[in-house]
């Protein structure tokens, strides 16, 4: 899938870090973000993800290290280091960006793109696009049903008011 070019921002959704090492899911997201940023030099990125148990650094910091180590200027990267789930990734990234009137790409693994973009639209971003990163693992057998349950949960229990 070809991503929309020249977005104002991409939001890279966090995933678990093993100590300081990017796990497969986060590595694929970060690689995809790196390629997008290289192809679109006017785009900035919000790296979204806090520090959970078993993580020596925040997910955002781990992504920052990878991207700057692969030639992306730190000036283009905003770190959002407090979120613990997809809803918080989007909400706290919105605070970093400061406006809903921008085009944003949601960078996450292919199985998670739909939910990430739906949540971004619910938070009021005017122009939202999915930027899928591949994910090939037996864990998809767990992640896909979990994603379906999360969609149901989000749809039934979370109706964020725009302007929060």
């Amino acid at each position: 899938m070809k991503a929309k070019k020249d977005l104002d921002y991409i939001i890279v959704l966090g995933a678990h870090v093993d100590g300081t090492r990017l796990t497969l899911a986060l590595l694929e997201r970060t690689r995809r973000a790196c390629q997008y940023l290289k192809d679109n030099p006017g785009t900035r990125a919000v790296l979204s993800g806090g520090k959970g148990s078993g993580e020596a650094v925040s997910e955002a910091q781990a992504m920052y290290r990878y991207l700057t180590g692969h030639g992306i200027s730190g000036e283009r990267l905003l770190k959002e280091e407090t979120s613990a789930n997809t809803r918080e990734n989007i909400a706290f990234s919105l605070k970093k960006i400061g406006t809903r009137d921008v085009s944003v790409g949601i960078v996450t693994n292919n199985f998670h793109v739909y939910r990430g973009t739906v949540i971004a639209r619910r938070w009021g971003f005017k122009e939202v696009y999915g930027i899928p990163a591949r994910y090939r693992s037996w864990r998809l057998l767990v992640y896909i049903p979990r994603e379906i349950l999360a969609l149901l949960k989000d749809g039934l229990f979370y109706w964020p008011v725009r302007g929060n």
Side-chain angles (χ1 to χ4, degrees), residues 57-88:
V57 298
S58 72
E59 296 159 11
Q61 180 62 31
M63 290 186 277
Y64 182 90
R65 287 179 181 173
Y66 180 96
L67 291 168
T68 56
H70 284 82
I72 304 299
S73 169
E75 293 177 6
R76 296 174 64 195
L77 307 174
L78 301 170
K79 290 187 284 184
E80 181 288 297
E81 298 183 277
T82 56
S83 60
N85 59 51
T86 304
R87 288 187 70 244
E88 290 180 358

Side-chain angles (χ1 to χ4, degrees), residues 3 43-44 51 65 67 77 79 108 127 136 156:
T43 300
R44 297 190 73 197
K51 181 177 174 247
R65 287 179 181 173
L67 291 168
L77 307 174
K79 290 187 284 184
T108 189
E127 200 178 335
R136 295 183 209 160
L156 294 174

Side-chain angles (χ1 to χ4, degrees), residues 37-154:
L37 292 167
K38 285 181 178 180
D39 292 345
N40 299 276
T43 300
R44 297 190 73 197
V46 181
L47 311 175
S48 186
K51 181 177 174 247
S53 66
E55 297 179 326
V57 298
S58 72
E59 296 159 11
Q61 180 62 31
M63 290 186 277
Y64 182 90
R65 287 179 181 173
Y66 180 96
L67 291 168
T68 56
H70 284 82
I72 304 299
S73 169
E75 293 177 6
R76 296 174 64 195
L77 307 174
L78 301 170
K79 290 187 284 184
E80 181 288 297
E81 298 183 277
T82 56
S83 60
N85 59 51
T86 304
R87 288 187 70 244
E88 290 180 358
N89 288 148
I90 302 296
F92 300 166
S93 293
L94 170 59
K95 289 179 182 177
K96 289 284 183 183
I97 293 169
T99 180
R100 292 172 170 86
D101 295 322
V102 291
S103 58
V104 296
I106 305 300
V107 181
T108 189
N109 302 103
N110 47 16
F111 63 86
H112 191 236
V113 168
Y114 178 76
R115 187 161 63 101
T117 58
V118 167
I119 292 170
R121 286 185 187 99
R122 285 206 181 153
W123 278 102
F125 280 108
K126 303 294 184 216
E127 200 178 335
V128 180
Y129 301 92
I131 303 175
R134 71 181 187 161
Y135 187 78
R136 295 183 209 160
S137 169
W138 65 268
R139 289 184 178 98
L140 280 174
L141 296 171
V142 174
Y143 290 157
I144 290 174
R146 188 177 86 179
E147 203 56 24
I148 292 166
L149 292 173
L151 278 165
L152 292 171
K153 177 191 66 129
D154 289 347

